[in-house]
Every structure is written in structure tokens, then in C-alpha cells.
Amino acid sequence: MIRLIDNLLNKITMYRLVLYFLIILVAVAGILGSIGFLPFSPLMLLLSVTLLTVVCYVINKLFSLAFNAPTNVESVYITALILTLIITPPSSLSDISYLIFIFWAATWAMASKYILAIGKKHIFNPAAFGVALTALTINQSASWWIGTASMAPFVIVGGLLVVRKIRRFDFILSFLTVALIGTILLHVNSLPGAYIILRRMLLSSPLLFFATIMLSEPLTTPPKRYARMGYGALVGAIFDPSIHLAGLYSTPELALLLGNIISYILSPKKKLMLRLIAKEQIAKDTYQFSFTSGKDEMEFHPGQYLEWTLPHKHSDSRGNRRYFTIASSPVEENFRIGVKFYPEPSSFKKTLLGMKPNDMLVASGLAGEFIMPHNKDVKLCFMAGGIGITPFESMLNYMLERKQHRDVIMLYSNKTSADIAYLETIKRAQNELGIRTVHVLSDTNSLPTGWQGESGFITAEMIKRKVPDWNERIFFISGPHGMVNAFKDALKEMGVHRSHIKIDFFPGFA
């Protein structure tokens, strides 16, 4: 069942998943409002979401023109929907105070992405900033009406799907644990009272929506696991509304904004405007794209990834953002990415393939813990499938340029020999560093004449045969989702401990 869910989730980007989830929540709220479970009518809710979407879109467009910055319509819609779910709809068509409220909340939310940006990267969650500033300036506060018992089942199911998609359970649990324990300690002194508080927090408060949709936003969270867990715990510690400083009481939005500041201090973020300088085919249906360097502004480790944004008209359900591992090494002059193009590619990939020299795109959100250990004496085994060779291209080039010798064996699986990418780097690593690569072709009916590698699928038996000291190595796995699962299953069958299996992952993989 979990594999089925993962397969479904991998057909859609994280941003589209969040967008669709929020749309469903608004639709469910409309139905519940029509039967009296929520204190507003579907018409007023429809008016609210329409007005907020229009205001967010227009204000964002004006700021993007003023700052000559690319827009991301998905982000605009997500912010508008979040504001819809935390600001109570108007009581009537002539509710002037509501109109003033949403105008300023939406305006400040969009403005925060451009004005309060460092290195062209916003540091605050836009929706949280918008409602926090309205509360401080015009005394209009978000009600967080999404936190009701009638909406809780839908929030829980959708929130779990989002967290499953981004693989951030540890981070979300650190927030929830600290927030729940803190609230219980502050407000109760008996076990029955603790149970009542716990049930109310989980079912009749915005806690779960806040955690899974707003706190989890990848662009405003630290990129490393333990920093994320600390960030979640910090926000959880100040989430309770009874916590105050100098008469200013905590709210969900203020807790999140303080966390955003800490997150930026822990991991300053950059947004790079990159210009295409070269495009070349490096294997069957696989292309390498090289961009002008922005690395003087960004340091990274081999194996890390960036979020790449390519605005284009008529984007499909996968949107205009993708996560790609950096194929170049940190000491190269330019950024490189390798991209596999399957039949009927997404609108993003069609636009990417159609890019001309000097065309621009945006890269941001550096993250990823799929990196080699600092101890160079640790034995490693790289397992790549298809375009999953990309992080190893970065690692191998880095080792070549630094003349860094490590004990590495690589198993590289492809369908045919024409699918093998970065063969020149692989040969150099063999000749100069002694890194042995075992090539495996899964299509046994089209093996080249005199093929010296392996054929079929990588199995536990093959791994044991080609990596005789497998129980002494750490395995790094990268490739298409199904292939990664097959590699992982083979290693588990062998008895490799989970701590010795590192899987390349980035949120929103699609």
C-alpha cells in the first residue's frame, strides 16, 4: 500500500500536491458550510477565495515587474488559498473591514517575497508575514478557522500525504512533540486534563495544518536534517498562545516568522539567475545543460541539489519548478545538470529542451544530505540507475580534481549501452583513481557484441559477487524511484543495515 501511495505521489510535484490539497480543503469547507458545520456560507467562501486570488495575483505581478523578477503562479495560488483557510470569510457582500483586511494581508504577503529578500531569496513564509503584519498594524487578525473538528479528518489525510511526499516526518514530529508537551505543561496538572488538551490541539486547532502546510515549506526550512529538527522544536516551543514577551502574545504566524529568521541564520539561502551557455546530448534521450556560474555566491557539496524554476506558458500539472541534482563539482567554473527526457515529457522539460544560449532560469533552495562522508577511509559503493548517475558525476569529478583517493566501487545499471551517461568521467576515475565501475545492462536482447559487463538486473547475488567486502561499505543509491526500491530491497535481503544505505532524495521529485 505504501509503495502504491509513493508511486502515485511521484507522478506529481510537491507544489502541485499542496495546491490540489488546498483546493480540496476549500471545496470541503464549502460543502460543510452549506450544511451548517461551518459558520459561513459557500457563497461567502467563494467570494473570499476569489478576491484573495485576484489580489495576490495582481500584486505579485506588479512586484515582479518592478523588480524584474520571474513569477511563480503556483506559489501565488498556494499563498492565496492558505490565506483563505486562515482568514474568516466576510459576513456579507458589504463587509468593508474584511475587504481592507484581505487587501493588506495579500499585499504584504506578496511584498515579502520581493522586498524582504536577501540574495534574491525570500526569508519569510508569505502568508504568515501577511497576517502577522495586519495584526500589528490594523488590528485585524487571522482566525485560523481551518482548525476545526469538522475539517480535521481532511487536514490529517492531506497533511500526511504532503509530509510523505517531502519525507520530513522527523522534522514535523519534533515540532508536534515540543508544541504538545509545552502546551500540556503550561495548562494542565492532571492526566485527564492532559488528554483533553491533547485532543483539542490535534482535532480543534490549526496545529496540524500549520505543521504540514506552512512550517514544512522547503524554501524557508534548513536544508540539513538536525537543523530542521531543531528548527521545528524551536517553533513548537513558542507556538502556545499564552507565551508572550513585553505584552506581545504568540500566534502561529509569529512563531513561524521567528522560526524563519532562525532558519535563515542557520542556513542563508540564495537565489541564482543562471544563463544557459551550452546544451549537449550525453546519452540516449539524455542531455546536459551548462549554465553560467553563480557558484561564487553559493558553496555546495557534491551530491546536493537545487530547485530549478523555469517560468513558461501553459504549464501542465507538474508546474514550472523541478529539483535536479548538481552534476558539476564545487570547483568547476559552471553549473551543470543532466536530464533524462522520457516520451511525452512535461511542459517544464519541453521548455528546458527548447532553451537557447543566453536564456535564463532560476536556481535556489540548495539542500541535500546525499554527500560523501568526511572520513576518506570509509569504503563506499555507488549504485546508480540511468540518470541517477548525476550525483556521482559530481562526486567523481570532485575526487578527480582534488586527486582524492577513496575506496569506491560503482554499480551502474542502464537498459542499453546507448543509455550510459558520463562515460568519460567514469573512465578517468578508473584510470586516475582506481575506482572500478561495473556496468549492468537490463535489456539482455540488445547487448553489444563482446559486452564485458553484467546483464539483467542488479540482485543481491550480483552485489555480493562484484562487491565481496559489501558488509564493510556504505551504499549510496540514486536513480528512478522503482529502481531505487529494487536496489534497496536487494541490500536489505543481504542484511545491510539501514544506516549503511543512503538514498538520493529531494522533495517534489517528479
Side-chain angles (χ1 to χ4, degrees):
M1 183 63 180
I2 293 178
R3 285 279 174 88
L4 176 61
I5 292 173
D6 283 344
N7 288 335
L8 292 174
L9 290 178
N10 275 286
K11 295 180 183 299
I12 185 173
T13 64
M14 178 201 67
Y15 295 105
R16 282 298 166 108
L17 175 62
V18 172
L19 179 61
Y20 295 156
F21 172 43
L22 294 174
I23 291 172
I24 290 172
L25 287 181
V26 172
V28 168
I31 295 172
L32 294 176
S34 69
I35 57 179
F37 280 87
L38 292 174
F40 45 76
S41 69
L43 177 61
M44 291 299 100
L45 180 60
L46 178 60
L47 176 64
S48 179
V49 70
T50 301
L51 289 175
L52 279 164
T53 301
V54 170
V55 174
C56 284
Y57 183 88
V58 172
I59 297 299
N60 184 77
K61 191 69 174 179
L62 291 175
F63 273 108
S64 70
L65 292 173
F67 284 82
N68 192 28
T71 62
N72 196 313
V73 178
E74 273 181 329
S75 177
V76 174
Y77 294 154
I78 288 172
T79 299
L81 289 164
I82 290 175
L83 290 173
T84 301
L85 293 165
I86 65 176
I87 297 175
T88 302
S91 57
S92 68
L93 295 175
S94 58
D95 190 342
I96 301 301
S97 63
Y98 165 81
L99 295 177
I100 294 173
F101 184 10
I102 65 162
F103 173 79
W104 285 115
T107 297
W108 286 324
M110 294 299 102
S112 69
K113 299 195 299 181
Y114 298 91
I115 298 175
L116 299 177
I118 300 176
K120 301 178 181 179
K121 177 71 182 65
H122 69 272
I123 60 176
F124 293 116
N125 179 283
F129 185 84
V131 293
L133 202 54
T134 54
L136 295 174
T137 56
I138 62 174
N139 199 30
Q140 293 268 43
S141 300
S143 64
W144 292 84
W145 64 263
I146 183 65
T148 58
S150 59
M151 293 294 295
F154 306 97
V155 171
I156 291 171
V157 172
L160 286 174
L161 289 177
V162 171
V163 178
R164 178 71 185 179
K165 175 71 175 179
I166 63 176
R167 308 288 175 88
R168 295 288 186 262
F169 282 106
D170 49 2
F171 158 50
I172 300 301
L173 283 176
S174 69
F175 163 75
L176 292 175
T177 301
V178 174
L180 292 171
I181 291 176
T183 299
I184 290 172
L185 292 176
L186 285 170
H187 296 286
V188 299
N189 54 14
S190 67
L191 188 59
Y195 170 74
I196 293 172
I197 289 288
L198 184 64
R199 185 177 64 181
R200 179 177 61 81
M201 288 289 289
L202 292 175
L203 299 179
S204 301
S205 84
L207 182 74
L208 294 178
F209 177 82
F210 174 87
T212 57
I213 297 300
M214 299 184 70
L215 183 68
S216 64
E217 181 195 16
L219 295 181
T220 53
T221 57
K224 294 186 177 180
R225 180 189 179 193
Y226 291 110
R228 281 195 302 270
M229 293 177 68
Y231 167 67
L234 170 67
V235 178
I238 58 177
F239 185 82
D240 189 273
S242 66
I243 296 174
H244 64 280
L245 178 64
L248 181 64
Y249 284 81
S250 180
T251 62
E253 58 267 29
L254 288 178
L256 182 54
L257 295 181
L258 179 58
N260 290 161
I261 294 173
I262 300 301
S263 174
Y264 183 82
I265 293 173
L266 291 174
S267 53
K269 299 172 176 63
K270 301 287 186 182
K271 178 183 288 187
L272 305 177
M273 301 295 295
L274 299 181
R275 189 183 305 275
L276 181 69
I277 56 174
K279 175 178 62 179
E280 61 177 315
Q281 186 168 2
I282 56 174
K284 180 183 178 183
D285 300 322
T286 303
Y287 289 79
Q288 177 174 269
F289 299 82
S290 300
F291 299 90
T292 52
S293 175
K295 292 201 293 283
D296 56 331
E297 303 176 43
M298 179 184 292
E299 296 181 356
F300 68 93
H301 297 288
Q304 289 191 297
Y305 62 83
L306 283 165
E307 181 188 68
W308 304 76
T309 302
L310 183 57
H312 57 282
K313 295 181 179 179
H314 311 299
S315 64
D316 59 19
S317 61
R318 296 190 179 189
N320 59 10
R321 290 184 277 192
R322 286 291 187 284
Y323 289 91
F324 292 121
T325 301
I326 306 169
S328 48
S329 83
V331 294
E332 288 183 45
E333 182 179 354
N334 300 308
F335 274 111
R336 293 185 288 114
I337 56 174
V339 182
K340 176 76 172 182
F341 290 83
Y342 297 97
E344 299 182 7
S346 64
S347 61
F348 179 100
K349 286 191 174 181
K350 288 180 182 177
T351 305
L352 180 65
L353 188 59
M355 288 184 71
K356 306 297 183 185
N358 295 321
D359 284 352
M360 304 286 290
L361 53 62
V362 179
S364 63
L366 177 70
E369 298 178 61
F370 192 73
I371 57 179
M372 295 182 291
H374 293 296
N375 185 354
K376 300 178 182 61
D377 294 328
V378 175
K379 294 182 177 181
L380 308 176
C381 180
F382 295 164
M383 298 184 69
I387 195 58
I389 190 67
T390 305
F392 304 127
E393 161 73 3
S394 179
M395 294 175 187
L396 293 176
N397 268 294
Y398 181 77
M399 287 187 281
L400 285 164
E401 291 154 358
R402 295 298 190 191
K403 300 189 184 303
Q404 185 182 103
H405 290 266
R406 290 177 181 256
D407 189 338
V408 179
I409 297 175
M410 184 162 70
L411 305 178
Y412 184 19
S413 175
N414 285 282
K415 184 177 181 180
T416 69
S417 60
D419 296 303
I420 299 174
Y422 297 118
L423 187 56
E424 181 180 344
T425 301
I426 293 171
K427 290 179 177 178
R428 282 190 60 207
Q430 165 73 37
N431 296 332
E432 298 177 29
L433 301 177
I435 294 175
R436 182 168 62 93
T437 295
V438 178
H439 289 282
V440 183
L441 300 183
S442 61
D443 188 350
T444 57
N445 294 321
S446 59
L447 297 176
T449 303
W451 175 247
Q452 299 296 312
E454 295 288 321
S455 60
F457 297 100
I458 294 178
T459 62
E461 184 277 328
M462 183 186 294
I463 297 171
K464 290 179 180 179
R465 180 160 44 86
K466 293 299 181 180
V467 190
D469 57 351
W470 56 269
N471 58 340
E472 300 175 12
R473 295 181 181 269
I474 295 179
F475 290 81
F476 285 71
I477 307 175
S478 177
H481 185 68
M483 192 175 291
V484 167
N485 283 334
F487 291 168
K488 185 170 62 174
D489 289 344
L491 294 176
K492 288 182 177 179
E493 178 186 331
M494 294 164 56
V496 177
H497 193 274
R498 60 184 299 179
S499 64
H500 281 204
I501 302 175
K502 309 295 182 183
I503 297 176
D504 190 18
F505 166 79
F506 33 79
F509 178 80

